[in-house]
Amino acid sequence: MRIATYNVNGVNGRLVNLLDWLADTAPDVVCLQELKAPQERFPLAEIEAAGYGAIWHGQKSWNGVAILARDAQPIETRRGLPGDAQDTQSRYIEAAVGGVIVACLYAPNGNPQPGPKFEFKLAWYQRLRTHMQWLASTKQPVVVAGDFNVMPTDLDVYAPERWVDDALFHPKVREAYARLLEDGWTDAVRELHSGERIYTFWKYLRNALARDAGLRIDHLLLSQSLKPRLQAAGVDRAYREREKASDHAATWIELSET
């Protein structure tokens, strides 16, 4: 079972690249972020023609998340992260697919910090941890995947010294991510590539991709029951090199059936 997370940075503007990637790599489950499209403008017909069922949570111009399933229809289990009735941003959706609960998230950026956006990010992470603790308590197999907007360690950023004041690398945000792992979740890519510099995002500016000046901010976290099933993990960097590509590359894992 191949599960991928992909911040598409505009699902309609980059639809051709997304459909090519689906056709070429045939993931079983896909978590998409930054749809940047209202609910009614999600390209469902094109996604279905590619062989995927979908659920999505759109938002005009910003945010937006979706879960796709190959030759299946994801069964939605939650829309929106619990814990704050005032939070209407489209950053979280969850579904049952192929015997696994799949959560797709797009964490807040948090910049500039300090400030209200940074405080919202920290509060959002606390809400995420609370919900993930509840998911773990169900004893179901769970994958929490998406753009977490955090580089967990120095190994996950090309020049750590340049990011010390950024909300994606702030100690409080890194600590919030670390607490998820302390609760028993496994960072799948780091589990299989413990000492490697693997990036999932490269800015469009200053020839970042060619210089490999990247960040690892897209993650797939596994519940304890799924850790023994983890077989492979990687990043589809070649699609980042295409014309009009997202600034992220798809990140994926492969799980054994049992």
Side-chain angles (χ1 to χ4, degrees):
M1 185 179 193
R2 178 178 281 232
I3 302 175
T5 181
Y6 195 177
N7 181 321
V8 291
N9 191 18
V11 68
N12 289 300
R14 307 190 198 279
L15 184 58
V16 171
N17 279 344
L18 173 61
L19 295 176
D20 285 348
W21 172 76
L22 290 173
D24 292 345
T25 65
D28 297 291
V29 184
V30 182
C31 296
L32 300 178
Q33 303 88 41
E34 276 203 276
L35 303 179
K36 295 183 177 178
Q39 191 73 8
E40 66 275 11
R41 291 208 57 218
F42 183 80
L44 180 61
E46 291 86 346
I47 295 294
E48 289 183 335
Y52 286 81
I55 60 170
W56 67 98
H57 189 192
Q59 183 175 340
K60 184 179 180 180
S61 301
W62 306 100
N63 306 324
V65 286
I67 297 175
L68 316 183
R70 185 161 61 91
D71 298 325
Q73 178 60 37
I75 301 171
E76 185 173 322
T77 55
R78 176 168 292 279
R79 178 175 295 246
L81 190 64
D84 181 359
Q86 304 303 313
D87 178 11
T88 59
Q89 298 183 24
S90 300
R91 294 186 176 276
Y92 186 92
I93 197 166
E94 184 183 292
V97 187
V100 176
I101 297 298
V102 178
C104 172
L105 65 83
Y106 176 48
N109 178 285
N111 284 305
Q113 74 82 25
K117 290 185 177 181
F118 185 67
E119 295 305 317
F120 176 74
K121 180 173 188 171
L122 294 179
W124 196 92
Y125 256 94
Q126 182 54 53
R127 289 162 54 204
L128 176 64
R129 184 186 186 194
T130 299
H131 185 57
M132 288 176 64
Q133 288 172 335
W134 178 84
L135 285 171
S137 74
T138 70
K139 304 301 182 183
Q140 298 181 84
V142 183
V143 176
V144 180
D147 180 352
F148 283 72
N149 265 322
V150 60
M151 297 87 81
T153 71
D154 287 4
L155 194 61
D156 301 309
V157 51
Y158 71 97
E161 69 280 2
R162 300 182 187 176
W163 291 83
V164 292
D165 295 324
D166 195 279
L168 277 67
F169 201 53
H170 193 280
K172 289 184 177 179
V173 177
R174 294 165 70 186
E175 289 166 7
Y177 184 87
R179 284 193 288 269
L180 302 179
L181 305 187
E182 291 167 2
D183 286 342
W185 296 85
T186 296
D187 181 331
V189 170
R190 191 51 71 210
E191 179 71 14
L192 295 184
H193 303 280
S194 60
E196 297 180 43
R197 287 195 174 275
I198 296 178
Y199 302 136
T200 66
F201 169 91
W202 298 261
K203 288 184 176 182
Y204 294 123
L205 304 174
R206 295 186 292 277
N207 209 25
L209 183 64
R211 294 188 296 113
D212 200 26
L215 313 173
R216 190 176 76 97
I217 58 177
D218 304 276
H219 310 299
L220 297 104
L221 303 189
L222 309 182
S223 61
Q224 291 184 7
S225 64
L226 281 183
K227 183 177 179 180
R229 293 172 55 183
L230 179 62
Q231 300 293 306
V235 179
D236 289 336
R237 175 177 170 146
Y239 293 86
R240 172 63 179 83
E241 298 170 357
R242 294 192 173 194
E243 186 177 355
K244 296 182 179 180
S246 169
D247 43 8
H248 294 249
T251 308
W252 53 269
I253 60 172
E254 289 184 356
L255 302 175
S256 64
E257 292 302 316
T258 56

